[in-house]
Amino acid sequence: MRSLLWLRRDLRRGDHPALLAASGEAGSHEVAVAFVIDPALWGPAGPVRRAWLAASVRAAREEYDGRLTVRVGDPREVVPALVRETGAASVHVTRETTPAGARRDRSVARAVSTAGAAWVETGTPYAVGPGVVRSGSGEPYRVFTPFARAWRTHGWPGPAPYPRRLLLAELDSDPGAERLLDDALTVDDLPALPEAGERAALERWRAFREDGLTGYAAGRDRPDRDATSRISADLKVGALHPRTLLADLADESAPGVERFVTELAWREFYADVLHHHPRSAWSDLRAGLSALAYDTPEDAVEAWRRGRTGYPFVDAGMRQLEATGWMHNRLRMVTASFLTKDLHVWWPVGARWFLQRLIDGDVASNNHGWQWVAGTGTDAAPYVRVFNPVTQGERFDPDGTYVRRWVPELGHLPGGSVHRPWDHPKGYTHGYPRRIVDHAEERREALRRYHAARQLR
């Protein structure tokens, strides 16, 4: 009988265990392939994030020979309706382990069972499924370095083969869903997004392997250079599987290979932590700073969101995020530190803003990255470490190229002077805002609050 493959974070056709299982279950019958636009996720997303998802869904449809149906609505209602419409005997998905995704899937599975179909989870968005890697005593890891060591020792399977036989059902899409995709892709002032889809992602990956890996370790912290892979957005929507990347790197010896694999390990680590500690999605993993005092400075937070803080490196990062749906990782740390330790705002405020806008926004990596900066998560950087937004810019954007690209009001300032417009006689002649806080004073205040919170433990 027919089977139904429900795509979520796996918008590809290659290296797809759930597709392989759906094809095997269907045998000589057809596989219906569907994507569901969930208003609960679509609504809060920013325009660039929606456009990237829309482009990725459309590209996946091409990979499935035009036979990917798109529906809109609550998956608890839409997926059982598809079961009834197609007569599918089984619904196949890639196993989801995020707290919200797992809750949704439990509800959908019950509705699918009521509709008369089996619920089958196969594979994972990660090289090693969250929950698998454990210490010698059987405990989950909460520190990255031992996790990464155990993760490498455990290893991962090779890429899944293509199905030997695959017949795709042809289903009509929901006109309302198609309108949402059209609208998302025709919003005014959209940036030039990367080409979406599995084929384009593989081409980006091959180009990076050939030309970018050698200099990756040395250049990955420089936002003024094109020195990163830029495939995080492809991993987010599942146009690529990390197992594919790791298989390609198995025999590589370029200097940047070890560093790149380590970055993949961070992604796996955060997913594992979230699996074991689902409350850490939106609450501090470590309770040691539960007494820390936070502020809610609405005007200052809005200035941070819009890139109007008066600190050029911070503002460049926030403007890059708003304009492109992506931000260099160095800037993610610097802007997060500014919000949490210069403005004294609890990290979920910033984490939610990032998730709504980042095309690679992943709740595990994003929210635990914020906690790393805030000092309340795994491998917590000491709270006393406060990123200096000026010296960070001078170190990682020494000629000011990155800042001038995103803060045109400072385009007339030469070289590294762009990081200190207050020291230049023409620093404010083109409308750049004055600093909303004094970093040195706020650093002292952050440390005062930290020590006060420690005493209240």
Side-chain angles (χ1 to χ4, degrees):
M1 295 184 67
R2 274 184 173 178
S3 60
L4 172 64
L5 174 66
W6 175 24
L7 298 177
R8 292 91 66 84
R9 291 198 289 161
D10 48 1
L11 294 173
R12 65 184 183 280
R13 188 162 172 171
D15 192 3
H16 202 310
L19 171 61
L20 194 62
S23 175
E25 186 75 21
S28 61
H29 297 281
E30 294 174 322
V31 176
V33 185
F35 182 86
V36 181
I37 299 176
D38 185 346
L41 300 177
W42 183 266
V48 182
R49 186 175 170 94
R50 282 197 296 265
W52 174 247
L53 179 56
S56 299
V57 170
R58 289 272 171 86
R61 174 179 287 160
E62 293 181 12
E63 296 293 341
Y64 282 93
D65 305 325
R67 297 187 173 185
L68 188 163
T69 184
V70 184
R71 305 293 173 91
V72 61
D74 188 331
R76 293 173 295 182
E77 299 172 358
V78 175
V79 177
L82 281 167
V83 168
R84 291 187 288 269
E85 179 182 341
T86 61
S90 54
V91 176
H92 294 262
V93 298
T94 298
R95 183 171 70 98
E96 184 56 83
T97 55
T98 63
R103 286 195 303 270
R104 174 204 61 202
D105 282 2
R106 287 192 293 268
S107 296
V108 177
R110 288 192 293 268
V112 162
S113 177
T114 301
W119 175 264
V120 184
E121 297 180 344
T122 309
T124 168
Y126 304 95
V128 182
V132 172
V133 176
R134 292 177 178 264
S135 68
S137 61
E139 295 298 316
Y141 288 97
R142 291 181 62 162
V143 177
F144 173 71
T145 300
F147 170 88
R149 189 182 305 118
W151 176 77
R152 290 172 188 264
T153 300
H154 180 278
W156 38 82
Y162 280 94
R164 292 183 179 180
R165 178 183 179 89
L166 179 61
L167 300 175
L168 295 171
E170 190 166 0
L171 301 173
D172 292 333
S173 288
D174 180 348
E178 293 298 334
R179 282 195 297 273
L180 284 177
L181 298 182
D182 287 338
D183 291 346
L185 292 168
T186 55
V187 172
D188 291 339
D189 299 324
L190 273 179
L193 291 169
E195 184 180 355
E198 183 177 6
R199 295 177 194 177
L202 285 169
E203 289 178 5
R204 274 191 290 276
W205 168 237
R206 291 176 186 132
F208 178 71
R209 279 182 61 201
E210 294 173 3
D211 302 324
L213 265 176
T214 299
Y216 177 72
R220 56 181 294 273
D221 271 324
R222 292 286 298 271
D224 57 334
R225 301 174 180 175
D226 185 15
T228 61
S229 70
R230 291 293 190 107
I231 61 171
S232 56
D234 299 309
L235 290 171
K236 163 59 184 172
V237 297
L240 283 178
H241 196 288
R243 183 175 48 222
T244 302
L245 312 185
L246 290 165
D248 286 348
L249 295 177
D251 299 320
E252 294 278 357
S253 57
V257 170
E258 179 69 17
R259 181 70 253 181
F260 186 83
V261 172
T262 297
E263 293 307 305
L264 290 178
W266 273 105
R267 181 175 182 269
E268 305 260 325
F269 173 58
Y270 282 148
D272 190 77
V273 171
L274 184 59
H275 170 68
H276 290 293
H277 306 280
R279 287 179 54 84
S280 68
W282 294 105
S283 298
D284 293 337
L285 179 69
R286 297 177 184 269
L289 294 181
S290 60
L292 191 66
Y294 294 104
D295 295 341
T296 55
E298 294 183 6
D299 290 345
V301 171
E302 187 64 13
W304 174 83
R305 287 172 174 161
R306 303 305 171 195
R308 303 281 297 171
T309 68
Y311 285 91
F313 204 47
V314 171
D315 292 343
M318 296 306 295
R319 295 186 193 188
Q320 181 185 30
L321 170 64
E322 190 69 11
T324 70
W326 189 82
M327 186 196 292
H328 191 280
N329 187 62
R330 172 57 51 176
L331 272 299
R332 298 188 196 203
M333 293 188 288
V334 173
T335 57
S337 179
F338 190 86
L339 183 70
T340 57
K341 295 176 181 175
D342 284 64
L343 301 185
H344 317 295
V345 174
W346 195 34
W347 64 265
V349 173
R352 196 173 302 278
W353 184 257
F354 273 26
L355 274 185
Q356 290 172 349
R357 280 156 177 78
L358 286 168
I359 61 175
D360 64 357
D362 170 89
V363 67
S365 293
N366 180 70
N367 291 24
H368 285 110
W370 270 88
Q371 291 194 58
W372 184 88
V373 173
T376 63
T378 62
D379 274 14
Y383 186 85
V384 294
R385 174 182 172 182
V386 181
F387 285 85
N388 185 313
V390 179
T391 58
Q392 285 282 306
E394 292 172 334
R395 178 180 178 187
F396 296 109
D397 182 31
D399 295 327
T401 303
Y402 175 78
V403 165
R404 276 188 292 274
R405 185 182 309 151
W406 295 108
V407 187
E409 309 98 296
L410 300 177
H412 61 291
L413 299 185
S417 67
V418 75
H419 295 294
R420 297 176 182 268
W422 46 86
D423 288 340
H424 196 283
K426 296 183 178 180
Y428 296 107
T429 58
H430 293 278
Y432 186 65
R434 303 278 177 172
R435 291 172 286 182
I436 61 173
V437 295
D438 181 286
H439 170 71
E441 291 181 5
E442 300 308 330
R443 180 182 182 277
R444 287 192 290 271
E445 173 63 12
L447 298 183
R448 185 196 67 76
R449 295 186 186 203
Y450 166 73
H451 291 301
R454 295 279 291 179
Q455 293 174 359
L456 292 173
R457 289 178 61 185

